[in-house]
Amino acid sequence: MTADRRAEELLGRMTLKEKIGQLSQAGSTMTCTLPGFEADIETWVSEMLQGKLPKEELDRRLAMCKENLREDEIAAGELGNFVNLYEDEKIAAVQEVAVHKSRLGIPLFIGVDVIRGYRTMFPTPLALSCSWDMECVRIMAATAKREAYDGGVNWTFGPMLDIARDGRWGRIVESPGEDTYLACRIAKVQVEEFQREEEDGCRLMASAKHFIAYGAVSGGQDYNTVDLSQRQLFEVYLPPFRAAIEAGAGAVMSAFHDLNGVPCTMNRWLLTDILRKQMGFRGFVVSDAEAVKQCVTHGCAADEREAARLSLEAGGDMDMSSLDYAKYLEQLVQAGELEEAVIDEAARRILTKKFEFGLFDREYTYGRLRDGQPMLSEEHRRRSLEVGKRCAVLLKNDGILPIRSEVKKILIVGALAEDKQALLGPWAFTGSAEPVATIVGGMKKYAEEGTEVRYVRGFGADADCSGFEEACEAAGWADIVIAVAGEKEYMSGEAASRANLHLAGCQERFLDGLVRMHVPTVVVLINGRPLAVGCLQENPGIGAILEGWHLGTECGNAIAEILYGHYNPSGKLTVTFANEGGQEPMYYNHPNTGKPGSDFKFTSKYQDVPVRPLYPFGYGLSYTTFSYGEFLVEKERITREETLKCSVKVRNAGSCAGEETVQLYIRDVVASCARPVKELKRFEKILLQPGEEQEVRFELPAEEMGFYDCCCKYVVEPGEFRLYAGTDSENVLERTFYIV
Ligand code: GLC
């Protein structure tokens, strides 16, 4: 029997309370058992996430608390879905109650943020996008799926598909970057791989989040209002969700913010007219955490009772964590203010997905890891290492890298080099910092015979520069200094917007002083967002800058392999690096304006920073050099029904093998709406041996060169187009073609 038929049959046997239970999702609650210890867990977690409370202290306190897994509510059929349980035994415990102690034995959806790994952590999603390698994306999803499923998880709150153009927004670290086309490619691969069923039934239901345009919050300030034209919505922010839906995503998570004045959580136009009627989405919508309740705070519901009704009626099927559906839906039905049919439809959608994703067909999966592949296996760590190497981006190199074999005394400076939590990075709640490979460890592990690696803290991502003298003295010993700067794990991610994108604390001053020791210096950045590091780029004493992001469990080993030249860096930026935070949002695919920025006074620019970005979208250096040769367009005039075919020759003109991401952009020169100066339409990552040349061929249907016109209708307009092929969004070859 099909999943929807099985769901219909079950629905017919359920009480109103049990149906509402399927619309409710919650996490465990913690109460402190120690007398006189006022346990304000949320404050503790908030302090930890701001670096005010060490994680170890938080864990110590939580160990003294009693966790309520809500077994009674589950047994009564009043809670059908759980959120953010990270221990296998607890997941098993709640599932045991649901399946064997509730009246109907409906298994729980166990939803967790498995967005970059489960126990084995991969690079942050922004870092992963910088690999431009869909096989890396697939490997992450496959590995995360295996570990999460073995741990009892059956639903991931991912992929996160928010196009992010503003480095001030902390959640840019979780995003697929600033480009819609690349985000669509990533969305498809992640949803397909998360949901692809392995032979033993291993799979996770994916949920595209956060619907919609969360990355466009005003001022890059998290949770802030989003005011956006429909055209922008359709052209920039919707396509990755459409790609996820076309790939079969089982759920969509609505976003916290208000979209043009109406909270996404209760936005009927968004959740029903657009998502369901126009995009054809047939799964269910889950709110973000406590977002139903927040409709009151938004000022769009008089109280939580009304928030529950408005959210459900708008198309929000499941309430995450506010429990307002559980509290108020029954009484709303009894008062005749809400049709039970609305509850039935939401429950139907959720139950259909539970059947579709096999929750009823296999005894919940807990315990598999006891005899299956263990978590954090050598193989999984190897995968994380291989992926991590491909995500780092070489931003500057005067030739100091890779470290030459005659370099025998290496000094590493900077607390981040040893900071496992920082190297792991944000959104790693299901992982642990303990197994993380540090940069110090990695550099020692890969050091050649006779090479000595030393470490001094010197400085951190804070205001403590007390180690400056010690670092300068140690630098006097060294042949090369590796200075590790950037951000702590809590300085990006949720609720981590920053107005100032410079290196925090005394890092800039410290580095400026350190390089006056005239020892060849490399800076490795460990950070979640694009930073204003122009002072490093312009400093002649800094020979190289490697953007290391937060690469996860194998971070230190991946960076060491690159610094020693065991791997030739191939990452390319998927977000623009602005010169200053005040220049944000800054992105490559912007309209030309009537006065594009230039040295001429009356043009669009800031007086106090360069017009060009510090590093453009698509930028990334290699230890070799690539030269672009013949760039041919097969047919310069094509109809709207035809496909543009072109080719470009790329040669490895250097002395070592390397991977190059060849990028193809277009520009619609004249259209009824101002078009971006460039739009990424294709890319291909190729490996070239020294001296090797490859002809890269692209095919691009004219249909993909359209846009949403001022009436939000998708059109392909005839006219002149530019075609660009190159190594980033600025260094390109140019051709012209026409759609007739
Ligand atoms: C958070 C995030 C969302 C996450 C959810 C569950 O607030 O906004 O991305 O999936 O809560 O952890």
Side-chain angles (χ1 to χ4, degrees), residues 83-84 86 113 157 171 174 209-210 214 223 253 256 288-289 320 427 494:
V83 58
N84 288 343
Y86 304 143
D113 295 294
F157 301 132
R171 300 196 75 163
E174 294 171 66
K209 73 181 183 185
H210 306 77
Y214 189 10
Y223 314 126
M253 183 186 295
F256 282 124
D288 205 334
M320 183 195 290
W427 285 100
E494 185 172 350

mmCIF file of all heavy atoms in Angstrom, residues 83-84 86 113 157 171 174 209-210 214 223 253 256 288-289 320 427 494, ligand 1:
data_model
loop_
_atom_site.group_PDB
_atom_site.id
_atom_site.type_symbol
_atom_site.label_atom_id
_atom_site.label_comp_id
_atom_site.label_asym_id
_atom_site.label_seq_id
_atom_site.Cartn_x
_atom_site.Cartn_y
_atom_site.Cartn_z
ATOM 1 N N VAL A 83 13.194 16.905 18.773
ATOM 2 C CA VAL A 83 14.207 17.758 18.141
ATOM 3 C C VAL A 83 15.465 17.790 18.992
ATOM 4 O O VAL A 83 15.401 17.846 20.223
ATOM 5 C CB VAL A 83 13.673 19.203 17.935
ATOM 6 C CG1 VAL A 83 13.236 19.849 19.225
ATOM 7 C CG2 VAL A 83 14.715 20.070 17.254
ATOM 8 N N ASN A 84 16.584 17.648 18.306
ATOM 9 C CA ASN A 84 17.895 17.880 18.931
ATOM 10 C C ASN A 84 18.200 16.994 20.124
ATOM 11 O O ASN A 84 18.551 17.475 21.210
ATOM 12 C CB ASN A 84 18.035 19.349 19.313
ATOM 13 C CG ASN A 84 18.220 20.183 18.067
ATOM 14 O OD1 ASN A 84 18.554 19.638 17.011
ATOM 15 N ND2 ASN A 84 17.985 21.464 18.148
ATOM 16 N N TYR A 86 20.994 14.285 21.004
ATOM 17 C CA TYR A 86 22.273 13.965 20.368
ATOM 18 C C TYR A 86 22.860 12.635 20.830
ATOM 19 O O TYR A 86 23.868 12.182 20.308
ATOM 20 C CB TYR A 86 23.280 15.080 20.659
ATOM 21 C CG TYR A 86 22.812 16.451 20.231
ATOM 22 C CD1 TYR A 86 23.106 17.578 20.981
ATOM 23 C CD2 TYR A 86 22.045 16.634 19.083
ATOM 24 C CE1 TYR A 86 22.665 18.843 20.592
ATOM 25 C CE2 TYR A 86 21.602 17.891 18.687
ATOM 26 C CZ TYR A 86 21.917 18.989 19.446
ATOM 27 O OH TYR A 86 21.494 20.238 19.065
ATOM 28 N N ASP A 113 20.086 18.818 13.522
ATOM 29 C CA ASP A 113 20.837 19.623 12.543
ATOM 30 C C ASP A 113 22.057 18.874 12.035
ATOM 31 O O ASP A 113 23.175 19.132 12.462
ATOM 32 C CB ASP A 113 21.285 20.940 13.195
ATOM 33 C CG ASP A 113 20.107 21.801 13.559
ATOM 34 O OD1 ASP A 113 19.414 22.265 12.633
ATOM 35 O OD2 ASP A 113 19.840 21.963 14.765
ATOM 36 N N PHE A 157 17.724 18.647 9.629
ATOM 37 C CA PHE A 157 17.294 20.012 9.331
ATOM 38 C C PHE A 157 18.312 20.621 8.366
ATOM 39 O O PHE A 157 19.054 21.520 8.701
ATOM 40 C CB PHE A 157 17.222 20.841 10.620
ATOM 41 C CG PHE A 157 16.287 20.306 11.644
ATOM 42 C CD1 PHE A 157 16.682 20.175 12.964
ATOM 43 C CD2 PHE A 157 14.994 19.930 11.306
ATOM 44 C CE1 PHE A 157 15.801 19.704 13.943
ATOM 45 C CE2 PHE A 157 14.118 19.456 12.271
ATOM 46 C CZ PHE A 157 14.519 19.343 13.582
ATOM 47 N N ARG A 171 25.163 33.711 10.128
ATOM 48 C CA ARG A 171 24.771 32.413 9.559
ATOM 49 C C ARG A 171 25.253 32.245 8.120
ATOM 50 O O ARG A 171 24.988 31.215 7.508
ATOM 51 C CB ARG A 171 23.254 32.252 9.673
ATOM 52 C CG ARG A 171 22.791 32.313 11.115
ATOM 53 C CD ARG A 171 21.397 31.800 11.336
ATOM 54 N NE ARG A 171 21.328 30.345 11.284
ATOM 55 C CZ ARG A 171 20.295 29.660 11.766
ATOM 56 N NH1 ARG A 171 19.271 30.304 12.325
ATOM 57 N NH2 ARG A 171 20.275 28.338 11.695
ATOM 58 N N GLU A 174 26.769 29.018 7.520
ATOM 59 C CA GLU A 174 25.955 27.811 7.266
ATOM 60 C C GLU A 174 25.437 27.771 5.843
ATOM 61 O O GLU A 174 24.760 26.827 5.465
ATOM 62 C CB GLU A 174 24.696 27.833 8.147
ATOM 63 C CG GLU A 174 24.848 27.727 9.599
ATOM 64 C CD GLU A 174 23.481 27.990 10.231
ATOM 65 O OE1 GLU A 174 22.556 27.185 10.031
ATOM 66 O OE2 GLU A 174 23.340 29.022 10.888
ATOM 67 N N LYS A 209 15.913 24.620 4.338
ATOM 68 C CA LYS A 209 15.677 25.728 5.271
ATOM 69 C C LYS A 209 16.512 26.910 4.860
ATOM 70 O O LYS A 209 17.463 26.747 4.088
ATOM 71 C CB LYS A 209 15.988 25.286 6.701
ATOM 72 C CG LYS A 209 17.469 25.117 7.006
ATOM 73 C CD LYS A 209 17.642 24.658 8.464
ATOM 74 C CE LYS A 209 19.101 24.542 8.829
ATOM 75 N NZ LYS A 209 19.289 23.999 10.185
ATOM 76 N N HIS A 210 16.200 28.189 5.301
ATOM 77 C CA HIS A 210 15.013 28.587 6.050
ATOM 78 C C HIS A 210 14.151 29.388 5.087
ATOM 79 O O HIS A 210 14.636 30.356 4.497
ATOM 80 C CB HIS A 210 15.423 29.459 7.224
ATOM 81 C CG HIS A 210 16.456 28.851 8.107
ATOM 82 N ND1 HIS A 210 17.807 28.797 7.793
ATOM 83 C CD2 HIS A 210 16.348 28.243 9.307
ATOM 84 C CE1 HIS A 210 18.470 28.207 8.781
ATOM 85 N NE2 HIS A 210 17.611 27.855 9.706
ATOM 86 N N TYR A 214 16.234 34.268 4.381
ATOM 87 C CA TYR A 214 16.787 34.573 5.721
ATOM 88 C C TYR A 214 18.115 35.320 5.578
ATOM 89 O O TYR A 214 18.489 36.136 6.391
ATOM 90 C CB TYR A 214 16.946 33.255 6.447
ATOM 91 C CG TYR A 214 17.306 33.276 7.902
ATOM 92 C CD1 TYR A 214 17.314 34.427 8.675
ATOM 93 C CD2 TYR A 214 17.641 32.085 8.535
ATOM 94 C CE1 TYR A 214 17.649 34.400 10.018
ATOM 95 C CE2 TYR A 214 17.981 32.042 9.880
ATOM 96 C CZ TYR A 214 17.989 33.200 10.613
ATOM 97 O OH TYR A 214 18.334 33.160 11.953
ATOM 98 N N TYR A 223 17.822 37.519 12.539
ATOM 99 C CA TYR A 223 16.399 37.555 12.889
ATOM 100 C C TYR A 223 15.723 38.866 12.479
ATOM 101 O O TYR A 223 14.523 39.035 12.710
ATOM 102 C CB TYR A 223 16.166 37.388 14.396
ATOM 103 C CG TYR A 223 16.929 36.275 15.077
ATOM 104 C CD1 TYR A 223 17.726 36.533 16.190
ATOM 105 C CD2 TYR A 223 16.879 34.972 14.619
ATOM 106 C CE1 TYR A 223 18.426 35.525 16.838
ATOM 107 C CE2 TYR A 223 17.582 33.954 15.251
ATOM 108 C CZ TYR A 223 18.351 34.236 16.361
ATOM 109 O OH TYR A 223 19.061 33.246 16.997
ATOM 110 N N MET A 253 11.580 24.056 6.204
ATOM 111 C CA MET A 253 11.498 24.782 7.479
ATOM 112 C C MET A 253 11.300 26.259 7.180
ATOM 113 O O MET A 253 12.078 26.861 6.434
ATOM 114 C CB MET A 253 12.780 24.600 8.301
ATOM 115 C CG MET A 253 12.710 25.267 9.670
ATOM 116 S SD MET A 253 14.259 25.207 10.578
ATOM 117 C CE MET A 253 14.433 23.471 10.847
ATOM 118 N N PHE A 256 12.537 32.425 10.691
ATOM 119 C CA PHE A 256 12.136 33.212 11.858
ATOM 120 C C PHE A 256 11.552 34.575 11.478
ATOM 121 O O PHE A 256 10.671 35.094 12.127
ATOM 122 C CB PHE A 256 13.373 33.523 12.722
ATOM 123 C CG PHE A 256 13.864 32.414 13.585
ATOM 124 C CD1 PHE A 256 15.183 31.978 13.476
ATOM 125 C CD2 PHE A 256 13.051 31.836 14.540
ATOM 126 C CE1 PHE A 256 15.671 30.967 14.295
ATOM 127 C CE2 PHE A 256 13.538 30.830 15.368
ATOM 128 C CZ PHE A 256 14.842 30.395 15.250
ATOM 129 N N ASP A 288 10.511 27.139 12.534
ATOM 130 C CA ASP A 288 11.795 27.147 13.230
ATOM 131 C C ASP A 288 11.491 27.163 14.735
ATOM 132 O O ASP A 288 10.331 27.288 15.169
ATOM 133 C CB ASP A 288 12.640 28.342 12.779
ATOM 134 C CG ASP A 288 14.122 28.075 12.981
ATOM 135 O OD1 ASP A 288 14.459 27.254 13.872
ATOM 136 O OD2 ASP A 288 14.943 28.650 12.261
ATOM 137 N N ALA A 289 12.547 27.031 15.529
ATOM 138 C CA ALA A 289 12.377 26.824 16.965
ATOM 139 C C ALA A 289 11.614 27.976 17.621
ATOM 140 O O ALA A 289 12.028 29.131 17.535
ATOM 141 C CB ALA A 289 13.743 26.665 17.633
ATOM 142 N N MET A 320 7.627 23.587 15.942
ATOM 143 C CA MET A 320 8.846 23.196 16.634
ATOM 144 C C MET A 320 8.990 24.009 17.911
ATOM 145 O O MET A 320 9.130 25.226 17.880
ATOM 146 C CB MET A 320 10.097 23.415 15.758
ATOM 147 C CG MET A 320 11.376 22.964 16.413
ATOM 148 S SD MET A 320 12.860 23.570 15.620
ATOM 149 C CE MET A 320 12.863 22.667 14.104
ATOM 150 N N TRP A 427 27.852 24.949 14.628
ATOM 151 C CA TRP A 427 26.894 23.953 14.128
ATOM 152 C C TRP A 427 27.517 22.567 14.099
ATOM 153 O O TRP A 427 27.440 21.844 13.111
ATOM 154 C CB TRP A 427 26.332 24.347 12.764
ATOM 155 C CG TRP A 427 25.338 25.443 12.917
ATOM 156 C CD1 TRP A 427 25.547 26.757 12.696
ATOM 157 C CD2 TRP A 427 24.000 25.334 13.423
ATOM 158 N NE1 TRP A 427 24.434 27.470 13.025
ATOM 159 C CE2 TRP A 427 23.466 26.625 13.473
ATOM 160 C CE3 TRP A 427 23.201 24.277 13.859
ATOM 161 C CZ2 TRP A 427 22.175 26.891 13.923
ATOM 162 C CZ3 TRP A 427 21.916 24.531 14.301
ATOM 163 C CH2 TRP A 427 21.412 25.843 14.325
ATOM 164 N N GLU A 494 24.474 31.101 14.348
ATOM 165 C CA GLU A 494 23.212 31.762 14.720
ATOM 166 C C GLU A 494 23.441 32.806 15.795
ATOM 167 O O GLU A 494 24.237 32.614 16.697
ATOM 168 C CB GLU A 494 22.186 30.740 15.203
ATOM 169 C CG GLU A 494 20.829 31.389 15.480
ATOM 170 C CD GLU A 494 19.729 30.400 15.772
ATOM 171 O OE1 GLU A 494 19.944 29.184 15.580
ATOM 172 O OE2 GLU A 494 18.645 30.852 16.194
HETATM 173 C C1 GLC B 1 17.569 26.896 15.200
HETATM 174 C C2 GLC B 1 17.860 27.225 13.758
HETATM 175 C C3 GLC B 1 17.492 26.134 12.792
HETATM 176 C C4 GLC B 1 17.654 24.786 13.458
HETATM 177 C C5 GLC B 1 16.631 24.700 14.585
HETATM 178 C C6 GLC B 1 16.743 23.376 15.346
HETATM 179 O O1 GLC B 1 17.105 28.017 15.868
HETATM 180 O O2 GLC B 1 17.349 28.450 13.245
HETATM 181 O O3 GLC B 1 18.348 26.259 11.658
HETATM 182 O O4 GLC B 1 17.424 23.757 12.517
HETATM 183 O O5 GLC B 1 16.757 25.787 15.491
HETATM 184 O O6 GLC B 1 17.972 23.285 15.974
#
